Amino acid sequence: MPRSSGAASPSTSHLDLSLLNGFSFRCRPDCGLCCFTSPAVSEGERRKLIQLDPNVPFEELTTGEGDKENEFAHVSDQGDGGACHFLHGLRCRAYGARPFPCQSFPLMVHIGRTAQATLVLSCPGLDLNGLPGWAGARPPQGAPRGLDEEIRATKAEWAQRGGAGVVSGLTPLRRRGSPRVRHALRTFDWEAMRSHLIPNLPLPGPEDFPADAPPGADEPLDQLPLFFDEVYGRVALREREGGWECLPLRESGGSEAPLGLFPGPDTPPKLLPDAETLLRGYLGYVVRREFFVSLVQELCEDQGESDPTVVARDVLVDLGSQVMARAGVRAKLLGQGGERLDAPDILRGVRAVDADFLDQETVGEQL
Ligand code: SF4
Ligand code: SF4
């Protein structure tokens, strides 16, 4: 969980909470998915955790060059894909002193042109029944339910970290890419792009399959995409021998015996009508994220592409194919064929993809 060292002056800048509308949340005690990580901690949080457990191991946050940043560290995990040091028997032994990323999850704030809270839809405690509504021009309204504590923690962190100063400090384009691309991005009308995309959300076709496979067997377990399975708990996906292997992870590290090796779909599975509506709803939610704009911006700079609409469509098609492929593999894990996907299948696909999708570098930052 990235956490930057924003040094801006306090302000009352607006924190956009509109992407929480219409959702409800109730943490599942049998889950623990979000604790299979190494949460970032501030100096103050670190001191409280050491009071609880003098032997708590930390990893210092380092940049790509290996320079040490002084302000933040991570609580170490239990190694080999295992959970955070503090998780035992799916209970946090530091609950009262858990750091900010744990207090706010499944809510996260992306700071790009604006600061916007979004929900990590992989969390099985979120009710996603309203997701189809995000495909329309008028997204669901109504205050979120069950997220009061997470919103309170986020607002407090936002105020402490400096509000608007953080946004203005992070929005400039990086000095990469050609001047032509940078000029095009600076003057681009991102809201017009959203207005155009939402009624015309692209879905993947035969040419978009097979979707990208998960990382291979030589990647460490903690780098693999993870989802919560009702029967097997936390299951990681990896590519092996041309198939997709499902591995249930142990809290203390390592995995149980693989649950099976399933072929990823070579052609798009058939989407039943409710499934297609749900997939469009997910893509409509993604388009409204500032994270999406920042990701498209980053990819345009990388690719030297001055038309963000082209890149945006590619991102959505790729994401859609990932949802369908992971939905198909999860259906096979349930003993179904996976060639025809219904709405519950697509929900499983969204849950298997969203945390992974949000774990990408963008020109913005994460609170
Ligand atoms: S992933 Fe969601 S449901 Fe699971 S433990 Fe975390 S907050 Fe609770
Ligand atoms: S500190 Fe507690 S809540 Fe946070 S990741 Fe570790 S076990 Fe989970």
Side-chain angles (χ1 to χ4, degrees), residues 25-28 31-35 105-106 122-125:
F25 168 68
R26 190 169 187 186
C27 184
R28 290 183 58 137
C31 173
L33 186 72
C34 58
C35 295
F105 196 87
S122 295
C123 165

Side-chain angles (χ1 to χ4, degrees), residues 151-197:
I151 292 172
R152 213 168 14 247
T154 302
K155 283 182 173 172
E157 179 83 359
W158 176 241
Q160 202 220 323
R161 292 276 304 284
V166 179
V167 175
S168 59
L170 291 172
T171 47
L173 293 167
R174 293 167 186 186
R175 296 197 63 76
R176 295 187 298 127
S178 69
R180 176 181 61 84
V181 170
R182 290 211 305 272
H183 175 75
L185 294 176
R186 206 173 285 119
T187 54
F188 189 70
D189 186 342
W190 297 95
E191 291 317 310
M193 181 190 79
R194 276 197 175 117
S195 303
H196 170 72
L197 275 176

Side-chain angles (χ1 to χ4, degrees), residues 239-292:
E239 199 265 338
R240 195 166 69 83
E241 296 169 6
W244 296 33
E245 190 170 53
C246 297
L247 287 170
L249 295 190
R250 290 195 202 112
E251 195 176 87
S252 57
S255 72
E256 309 291 351
L259 300 170
L261 188 64
F262 306 99
D266 286 333
T267 54
K270 180 169 174 41
L271 286 176
L272 297 178
D274 284 358
E276 183 174 323
T277 306
L278 189 58
L279 182 55
R280 287 188 194 281
Y282 176 52
L283 298 181
Y285 189 72
V286 167
V287 167
R288 290 174 170 94
R289 282 173 168 161
E290 278 306 304
F291 177 90
F292 176 71

Side-chain angles (χ1 to χ4, degrees), residues 74-90:
H74 291 251
V75 177
S76 297
D77 60 38
Q78 297 177 41
D80 198 17
C84 163
H85 167 81
F86 285 109
L87 194 73
H88 285 265
L90 295 182

Side-chain angles (χ1 to χ4, degrees), residues 111-128:
I111 306 164
R113 299 171 310 151
T114 62
Q116 184 197 51
T118 188
L119 290 166
V120 184
L121 302 184
S122 295
C123 165
L126 283 169
D127 182 344
L128 302 187

